[in-house]
Amino acid sequence: MKSLLTCLSLMVLGIGTALFIGFHDRFSTEEPYYDDEQEGLKDQIVFKFSHVVAENTPKGRAANKFADLVYQKSGGTIKVEVFPNGSLYSDNEEINALQNGDVQFIAPSTSKLGSLSPEWGVLDLPYAFTNYKAVQEGLNGKIGTRLFASLEKHHLKGLAYWTNGFKQLTSNKGPIFTPDDLKGQALRIMPSSVIEDQYRLLGAHPRQDSFNSTFQLLESNLVDGEENTISNIYSKKFYNVQDYLTISNHGYLGYAVMTDEHFWNSQTEKTRTILTEAMRETTEWNEASAEKMNKDQLEEIKKNSSIHIHVLSKAEKNTWMKRLDPIYGQYEQVIGRGLVQDLLSLRREP
Ligand code: SIN
């Protein structure tokens, strides 16, 4: 009996201690635990970077590289936490999250910025850029400067342009050789009226939806196809639920890396210098690596799937360009004549 009582008292004591420790840990107002060997860690600043694509893409890798560089350059006192795959915010939510201070960096596709200013539509014009060199000339020149200036009225600050590459077409309905092959096809597109009108012009049924719902839309046949870069088609495995892929390079997909102006101005000069330097190095790396990443991932798609691939010939591309040309006239007033003319001066044969 005595030993039973001793045993019971020990159990009560044990449970009480465990509850106390749990309660203390959960609600303690003491300083959090830091590893003393990592000097200065308790003064560490943490920023959040949210994006919607996979990590093995030009944007995913650039965001991680930026985080690494910031950490190195600040001696570990600034940490950028990267949230890929829309795990924190979807593409429909991320601009608001930035403006509300819930996240400090985002890199939306420029096609998603038309709601801020219609000028962004210039980058969605069909065959706007016909190679990576033209993209860099445009974005590092007058076009890029003008577009970043348009963010100021929203108290947003453009930090850099990151590139992904050129969009291709995928479908389940049939092979796409000519613009007429898209007639009647339902296609998921990004939220851009310029893109929407291109597909309407060809008699397709575009549907604006978020990136992270695309696989589901394709898999459940709610749409027949979509347009995207190879890196997005590969990393999100769209090729597993699509039968046809056409290498059309008919549009550009790139990113505006942005932060909130109030956030930026409230940082010390030293922090801003570290962030600026890290962003510059990341952008150079992104420009040098995006094309190869897309090329390599096309080879992976060929190896890992039975999707039928058609590469548009030069003559076929010219046919697509001509069919889509009326979009330039339709949007010249909306986007602004100056911007459209600047773009046309960079346009080359496909
Ligand atoms: C992205 O590359 O950020 C997403 C593109 C898309 O929405 O299709």
PDB file of all heavy atoms in Angstrom, residues 19 55 60 73 85 150 217 227 265 314 320:
ATOM      1  N   LEU A  19       3.821  19.613 -16.961  1.00  0.00           N
ATOM      2  CA  LEU A  19       2.869  20.685 -17.333  1.00  0.00           C
ATOM      3  C   LEU A  19       3.496  22.050 -17.116  1.00  0.00           C
ATOM      4  O   LEU A  19       3.380  22.948 -17.936  1.00  0.00           O
ATOM      5  CB  LEU A  19       1.587  20.566 -16.489  1.00  0.00           C
ATOM      6  CG  LEU A  19       0.609  19.495 -16.953  1.00  0.00           C
ATOM      7  CD1 LEU A  19      -0.545  19.370 -15.970  1.00  0.00           C
ATOM      8  CD2 LEU A  19       0.072  19.825 -18.341  1.00  0.00           C
ATOM      9  N   GLU A  55      11.379  25.666 -56.236  1.00  0.00           N
ATOM     10  CA  GLU A  55      12.748  26.130 -55.976  1.00  0.00           C
ATOM     11  C   GLU A  55      13.692  25.877 -57.150  1.00  0.00           C
ATOM     12  O   GLU A  55      14.648  26.622 -57.344  1.00  0.00           O
ATOM     13  CB  GLU A  55      13.283  25.479 -54.703  1.00  0.00           C
ATOM     14  CG  GLU A  55      12.608  26.071 -53.470  1.00  0.00           C
ATOM     15  CD  GLU A  55      13.159  25.501 -52.189  1.00  0.00           C
ATOM     16  OE1 GLU A  55      12.846  24.323 -51.912  1.00  0.00           O
ATOM     17  OE2 GLU A  55      13.897  26.202 -51.490  1.00  0.00           O
ATOM     18  N   GLY A  60      13.056  30.672 -58.289  1.00  0.00           N
ATOM     19  CA  GLY A  60      13.258  29.972 -57.019  1.00  0.00           C
ATOM     20  C   GLY A  60      14.721  29.976 -56.621  1.00  0.00           C
ATOM     21  O   GLY A  60      15.079  30.246 -55.467  1.00  0.00           O
ATOM     22  N   LYS A  73      26.860  38.455 -46.473  1.00  0.00           N
ATOM     23  CA  LYS A  73      27.343  39.841 -46.456  1.00  0.00           C
ATOM     24  C   LYS A  73      27.070  40.535 -45.131  1.00  0.00           C
ATOM     25  O   LYS A  73      27.751  41.487 -44.776  1.00  0.00           O
ATOM     26  CB  LYS A  73      26.691  40.642 -47.596  1.00  0.00           C
ATOM     27  CG  LYS A  73      27.226  40.284 -48.962  1.00  0.00           C
ATOM     28  CD  LYS A  73      26.504  41.079 -50.046  1.00  0.00           C
ATOM     29  CE  LYS A  73      26.886  40.580 -51.424  1.00  0.00           C
ATOM     30  NZ  LYS A  73      28.306  40.780 -51.743  1.00  0.00           N
ATOM     31  N   ASN A  85       6.581  28.270 -53.751  1.00  0.00           N
ATOM     32  CA  ASN A  85       5.360  27.502 -54.069  1.00  0.00           C
ATOM     33  C   ASN A  85       4.066  28.120 -53.550  1.00  0.00           C
ATOM     34  O   ASN A  85       3.092  27.404 -53.306  1.00  0.00           O
ATOM     35  CB  ASN A  85       5.485  26.076 -53.495  1.00  0.00           C
ATOM     36  CG  ASN A  85       6.589  25.309 -54.182  1.00  0.00           C
ATOM     37  OD1 ASN A  85       6.620  25.246 -55.419  1.00  0.00           O
ATOM     38  ND2 ASN A  85       7.503  24.736 -53.410  1.00  0.00           N
ATOM     39  N   SER A 150       6.469  53.552 -62.518  1.00  0.00           N
ATOM     40  CA  SER A 150       5.010  53.430 -62.354  1.00  0.00           C
ATOM     41  C   SER A 150       4.636  52.791 -61.010  1.00  0.00           C
ATOM     42  O   SER A 150       3.481  52.835 -60.600  1.00  0.00           O
ATOM     43  CB  SER A 150       4.415  52.614 -63.510  1.00  0.00           C
ATOM     44  OG  SER A 150       4.650  51.228 -63.302  1.00  0.00           O
ATOM     45  N   LEU A 217      -6.251  22.407 -62.602  1.00  0.00           N
ATOM     46  CA  LEU A 217      -7.134  22.754 -63.733  1.00  0.00           C
ATOM     47  C   LEU A 217      -6.855  21.842 -64.928  1.00  0.00           C
ATOM     48  O   LEU A 217      -7.775  21.395 -65.616  1.00  0.00           O
ATOM     49  CB  LEU A 217      -6.910  24.207 -64.181  1.00  0.00           C
ATOM     50  CG  LEU A 217      -7.364  25.324 -63.248  1.00  0.00           C
ATOM     51  CD1 LEU A 217      -6.913  26.677 -63.776  1.00  0.00           C
ATOM     52  CD2 LEU A 217      -8.887  25.312 -63.108  1.00  0.00           C
ATOM     53  N   GLU A 227      -0.074  28.244 -71.121  1.00  0.00           N
ATOM     54  CA  GLU A 227       1.191  28.732 -71.680  1.00  0.00           C
ATOM     55  C   GLU A 227       2.127  28.971 -70.511  1.00  0.00           C
ATOM     56  O   GLU A 227       1.713  29.494 -69.479  1.00  0.00           O
ATOM     57  CB  GLU A 227       0.979  30.027 -72.466  1.00  0.00           C
ATOM     58  CG  GLU A 227       0.230  31.102 -71.688  1.00  0.00           C
ATOM     59  CD  GLU A 227       0.482  32.522 -72.166  1.00  0.00           C
ATOM     60  OE1 GLU A 227       0.743  32.722 -73.351  1.00  0.00           O
ATOM     61  OE2 GLU A 227       0.412  33.435 -71.320  1.00  0.00           O
ATOM     62  N   ASN A 265      12.676  52.533 -46.699  1.00  0.00           N
ATOM     63  CA  ASN A 265      13.195  53.782 -46.125  1.00  0.00           C
ATOM     64  C   ASN A 265      13.453  53.667 -44.627  1.00  0.00           C
ATOM     65  O   ASN A 265      14.196  54.464 -44.076  1.00  0.00           O
ATOM     66  CB  ASN A 265      12.225  54.941 -46.396  1.00  0.00           C
ATOM     67  CG  ASN A 265      12.180  55.250 -47.887  1.00  0.00           C
ATOM     68  OD1 ASN A 265      13.112  54.918 -48.623  1.00  0.00           O
ATOM     69  ND2 ASN A 265      11.102  55.863 -48.343  1.00  0.00           N
ATOM     70  N   LYS A 314      10.962  28.928 -88.242  1.00  0.00           N
ATOM     71  CA  LYS A 314      10.998  30.377 -88.399  1.00  0.00           C
ATOM     72  C   LYS A 314       9.765  30.860 -89.184  1.00  0.00           C
ATOM     73  O   LYS A 314       9.114  31.840 -88.817  1.00  0.00           O
ATOM     74  CB  LYS A 314      12.278  30.738 -89.158  1.00  0.00           C
ATOM     75  CG  LYS A 314      12.811  32.055 -88.772  1.00  0.00           C
ATOM     76  CD  LYS A 314      14.170  32.282 -89.377  1.00  0.00           C
ATOM     77  CE  LYS A 314      14.325  33.788 -89.348  1.00  0.00           C
ATOM     78  NZ  LYS A 314      15.398  34.382 -89.903  1.00  0.00           N
ATOM     79  N   TRP A 320       2.562  33.178 -86.810  1.00  0.00           N
ATOM     80  CA  TRP A 320       1.978  33.513 -85.495  1.00  0.00           C
ATOM     81  C   TRP A 320       2.115  35.005 -85.220  1.00  0.00           C
ATOM     82  O   TRP A 320       1.185  35.655 -84.764  1.00  0.00           O
ATOM     83  CB  TRP A 320       2.680  32.724 -84.384  1.00  0.00           C
ATOM     84  CG  TRP A 320       2.229  31.307 -84.269  1.00  0.00           C
ATOM     85  CD1 TRP A 320       2.601  30.269 -85.074  1.00  0.00           C
ATOM     86  CD2 TRP A 320       1.309  30.761 -83.307  1.00  0.00           C
ATOM     87  NE1 TRP A 320       1.981  29.107 -84.666  1.00  0.00           N
ATOM     88  CE2 TRP A 320       1.184  29.379 -83.576  1.00  0.00           C
ATOM     89  CE3 TRP A 320       0.599  31.299 -82.243  1.00  0.00           C
ATOM     90  CZ2 TRP A 320       0.367  28.545 -82.817  1.00  0.00           C
ATOM     91  CZ3 TRP A 320      -0.210  30.462 -81.482  1.00  0.00           C
ATOM     92  CH2 TRP A 320      -0.323  29.107 -81.773  1.00  0.00           C
TER      93      TRP A 320
END
